[in-house]
Amino acid sequence: MEGKMSWTVADAVDYKGFPADRSKTGGWMPAALILGIEICERLSTMGIAVNLVTYLGGTLHLPSSTSANVVTDFMGTSFLLCLLGGFLADTFLGRYKTIAIFSIIQTLGTGTLALATKLPQLRPPPCHGSHTCKQANGFQMGILYIALYLIALGTGGLKSSVSGFGTDQFDEKDEKEKSQMAYFFNRFFFFISTGTLMAVTVLVYIQDEVGRSWAYGICSVSMFVAVLIFLSGTKRYRYKKSLGSPIVQIFQVIVAAINKRKMKLPYNVELLYEDTPETSRIHHTDRFRFLDKAAIVGEGDLERNVGPAAAPNPWKLSPVTRVEEVKMMAALLPIWATTILFWTTYAQMMTFSVEQASTMERSVGGFQIPAGSLTVFFVAAILITLAVYDRLVMPLWKKWKGKPGFSSLQRIALGLALSTMGMASAAVAEVKRLEVARATGASATTGTLPVTVFILIPQFFLVGAGEAFIYTGQLDFFITQSPKGMKTMSTGLFLTTLSLGFFVSSLLVSVVKSVMGGSNGGQGWLADNINHGRLDCFYGLLAVLGVINFALYIVSAVWFKPRKSKPVTLQMDTIINGSSTAENKC
């Protein structure tokens, strides 16, 4: 019996619901099938996002500000829907069904987009002069929105579950499989970068030189093939049971605290309710004391629910550990709020920066670089920064400070600073571009300006290097500083900064368009033709907001107190009992 049990994974089952056989389920082969879904998702989403603004302006004849908002709203919704996907996976569907359902939805979305860009009835007629451009009508835009938001829905469901389901294929309690899991994360991020790189080079080139419908058709077919490959591994996957949504647990604490808002806290915190095992408890803190009222024992609170796992009603009474978990999540919010603006500046790399590139000289020899492919410098900056940091900065920092690299808060600070410098660089480059436009008299046309597109490289490199620091810093911060049972929730919180960053970009564009629409001789900062506008002022505004935001972040980082590890006596107890100290520190 002991020999047989060693071949099963304790907390996982197979597709029939039996304990998962270690020799027949999990490992690298099922994980590789899951990675195939991720690379196709990145190929589709990024391939559409980085070059969509040129289609909206050049083919559908939308104003530049409207085109930028369509792209940022699409990307923002994609990341926001990760919360919905995570909630459905944790509460109802499980990760496997969530991936299967939402990948099919994304396949339908890319197929619809291929049709929308192929059929002449779904786009306005071409321009026949500078004053005869007809914008896309409501029906044409409606079909486009249906396609884009089907893709956004599919992306949200996939991103919330792919990485988690991939790690489910490895047993953390087995040393060999635990080391394999670390390699899985490396390969996971490599596949994301590979998908993005293919999107901004090969797919964008096909869109511009062959046809958008062909490019989007490739996305749809590749996604469909990836779904079939994913489903082929059904018998090989390991499945883990859902533990419930952390969102519900947070609301339970908040509701209980509100209902008991008039009750006084006891002088001794030991009188607060606690039913968590000693080894898993989180000790009481004095922050956000209002939430402590959720742990006050009121009349009738200790009446047990009916059932095998009888416990007090969690909507009326929460243990101290659950309250402290909510406090930990609340303490993350100032850092969360001050990282949103980075993704607002990031959004400009896929909208106005691409529009800038479309007006500039992009020839290298006899090859014309697609405007959307300029984001390859953005991806290159990420890869170069990560390589230099890993191979050069970390060893030097360890020798100097005795620590393996910068802390998560320091990396976030670097990302914010670099993005602000990127916006300042973008403003300088735009001043140069506008000077050339005015000098050549091209401001009244949409022709190519005699200025090289490579003056935009610094802004792509600075913001790209900033993403390398802030993405890894945020991910590290939100995972390590969140409760053990809410790490999926904290990852979702991190992804909402991306979502809100895109939405803030849309809001900022609308506000600037409204407020500054009458300036610059009636054209405004964000004119329909960027040669008539003052995009440099908009970039300058983002740089100023970046400086203010950076100061607020420093204040938030100083205020934030990282969670301290448990007392030495408790650590010694867990060692004696055979538990892992590292797990308790988490």
Side-chain angles (χ1 to χ4, degrees):
M1 179 64 70
E2 290 180 0
K4 185 176 182 180
M5 289 301 293
S6 66
W7 287 98
T8 61
V9 182
D11 58 347
V13 297
D14 61 16
Y15 75 107
K16 292 183 178 180
F18 299 126
D21 189 327
R22 191 182 302 275
S23 64
K24 297 180 180 179
T25 62
W28 273 116
M29 182 58 70
L33 302 181
I34 298 167
L35 287 175
I37 285 278
E38 178 59 25
I39 193 171
C40 291
E41 181 274 321
R42 285 289 83 195
L43 180 70
S44 299
T45 305
M46 295 305 297
I48 292 165
V50 298
N51 205 31
L52 182 60
V53 69
T54 59
Y55 175 75
L56 296 171
T59 303
L60 300 187
H61 310 144
L62 300 183
S64 61
S65 58
T66 304
S67 301
N69 281 359
V70 170
V71 175
T72 52
D73 288 345
F74 162 66
M75 291 299 291
T77 304
S78 298
F79 288 110
L80 188 62
L81 287 172
C82 290
L83 291 177
L84 173 63
F87 175 78
L88 292 175
D90 288 342
T91 311
F92 301 108
L93 298 175
R95 289 169 177 161
Y96 170 79
K97 290 182 180 178
T98 301
I99 293 173
I101 292 171
F102 284 91
S103 58
I104 292 172
I105 291 173
Q106 181 157 13
T107 303
L108 292 174
T110 50
T112 304
L113 188 61
L115 288 176
T117 54
K118 177 66 176 178
L119 300 177
Q121 302 92 325
L122 297 180
R123 60 179 184 269
C127 294
H128 297 291
S130 59
H131 301 290
T132 59
C133 293
K134 183 180 179 181
Q135 288 189 26
N137 59 38
F139 174 74
Q140 293 166 341
M141 291 302 299
I143 298 298
L144 178 70
Y145 284 136
I146 289 173
L148 289 179
Y149 287 98
L150 280 173
I151 296 168
L153 182 59
T155 298
L158 285 174
K159 289 192 74 66
S160 62
S161 298
V162 167
S163 59
F165 193 54
T167 57
D168 286 347
Q169 308 313 308
F170 303 96
D171 183 10
E172 291 186 21
K173 298 176 182 178
D174 182 271
E175 288 301 321
K176 181 180 178 181
E177 292 196 15
K178 188 176 181 179
S179 63
Q180 289 177 337
M181 186 188 296
Y183 284 103
F184 171 79
F185 277 115
N186 292 339
R187 287 172 173 82
F188 179 75
F189 287 114
F190 173 78
F191 269 62
I192 290 177
S193 300
T194 302
T196 303
L197 193 61
M198 290 178 62
V200 302
T201 52
V202 177
L203 202 64
V204 169
Y205 179 81
I206 294 174
Q207 289 174 24
D208 286 359
E209 301 299 326
V210 181
R212 288 182 183 269
S213 58
W214 280 98
Y216 300 147
I218 290 172
C219 291
S220 187
V221 171
S222 63
M223 197 70 200
F224 180 71
V225 172
V227 172
L228 295 180
I229 294 173
F230 173 76
L231 295 176
S232 70
T234 300
K235 296 181 179 180
R236 294 291 308 274
Y237 296 134
R238 293 174 187 169
Y239 306 85
K240 294 189 178 181
K241 295 181 179 179
S242 300
L243 299 176
S245 174
I247 298 176
V248 175
Q249 298 171 7
I250 290 173
F251 276 112
Q252 286 172 343
V253 172
I254 294 173
V255 169
I258 292 174
N259 289 337
K260 295 178 179 179
R261 62 189 180 278
K262 295 183 180 179
M263 298 179 68
K264 292 184 178 180
L265 289 168
Y267 291 105
N268 189 347
V269 295
E270 293 183 2
L271 297 176
L272 295 174
Y273 176 71
E274 178 64 283
D275 64 352
T276 309
E278 181 65 31
T279 55
S280 302
R281 289 182 183 179
I282 301 177
H283 296 294
H284 178 268
T285 60
D286 291 330
R287 280 188 176 180
F288 309 111
R289 296 205 66 190
F290 169 77
L291 294 174
D292 288 339
K293 294 188 176 184
I296 298 175
V297 179
E299 185 177 353
D301 284 349
L302 292 178
E303 293 179 0
R304 303 274 168 171
N305 293 326
V306 178
N313 187 339
W315 295 95
K316 293 182 178 181
L317 182 65
S318 298
V320 171
T321 294
R322 180 63 54 78
V323 173
E324 289 300 319
E325 287 178 339
V326 176
K327 286 183 180 182
M328 290 174 68
M329 296 300 293
L332 304 179
L333 294 180
I335 302 296
W336 169 83
T338 50
T339 54
I340 291 172
L341 190 66
F342 172 86
W343 301 105
T344 300
T345 62
Y346 171 93
Q348 312 317 312
M349 298 299 101
M350 291 188 292
T351 54
F352 289 120
S353 291
V354 174
E355 195 166 356
Q356 282 178 291
S358 67
T359 68
M360 304 170 77
E361 178 59 49
R362 306 188 306 277
S363 297
V364 177
F367 178 72
Q368 180 86 351
I369 302 173
S373 290
L374 261 290
T375 50
V376 71
F377 294 107
F378 187 85
V379 179
I382 295 173
L383 298 176
I384 291 170
T385 301
L386 289 175
V388 171
Y389 178 74
D390 183 59
R391 298 297 180 182
L392 183 62
V393 176
M394 287 182 69
L396 292 175
W397 195 258
K398 189 172 184 180
K399 288 182 179 180
W400 184 31
K401 293 288 188 178
K403 297 178 181 179
F406 303 139
S407 69
S408 58
L409 292 176
Q410 288 171 333
R411 277 177 281 165
I412 293 172
L414 280 170
L416 293 175
L418 287 168
S419 68
T420 302
M421 294 167 60
M423 286 299 95
S425 173
V428 173
E430 178 62 8
V431 168
K432 174 64 176 176
R433 195 192 68 82
L434 287 175
E435 286 178 352
V436 173
R438 295 189 187 101
T440 58
S443 60
T445 69
T446 56
T448 301
L449 300 176
V451 57
T452 177
V453 76
F454 295 115
I455 66 172
L456 302 182
I457 290 179
Q459 66 201 59
F460 282 104
F461 257 87
L462 286 167
V463 179
E467 187 193 0
F469 283 116
I470 202 168
Y471 193 100
T472 56
Q474 278 185 289
L475 197 59
D476 183 6
F477 175 78
F478 283 106
I479 288 178
T480 59
Q481 297 302 320
S482 65
K484 187 175 182 180
M486 295 188 177
K487 295 192 183 298
T488 301
M489 169 70 181
S490 65
T491 304
L493 194 65
F494 155 55
L495 291 174
T496 59
T497 63
L498 281 74
S499 171
L500 292 176
F502 284 104
F503 286 132
V504 169
S505 177
S506 296
L507 176 63
L508 193 60
V509 166
S510 298
V511 170
V512 169
K513 185 76 173 176
S514 175
V515 175
M516 305 305 297
S519 65
N520 190 34
Q523 292 292 333
W525 286 4
L526 303 176
D528 294 346
N529 182 339
I530 63 170
N531 291 338
H532 296 162
R534 290 300 305 273
L535 188 58
D536 55 325
C537 294
F538 180 69
Y539 283 144
L541 174 63
L542 282 170
V544 171
L545 291 176
V547 172
I548 297 171
N549 182 73
F550 184 77
L552 293 174
Y553 169 78
I554 295 299
V555 172
S556 300
V558 171
W559 174 83
F560 181 81
K561 293 180 176 59
R563 197 79 181 181
K564 294 181 180 179
S565 59
K566 294 186 177 182
V568 177
T569 54
L570 180 57
Q571 293 179 18
M572 291 302 294
D573 289 338
T574 56
I575 293 172
I576 293 171
N577 292 327
S579 300
S580 170
T581 305
E583 290 180 3
N584 288 305
K585 286 184 178 179
C586 292

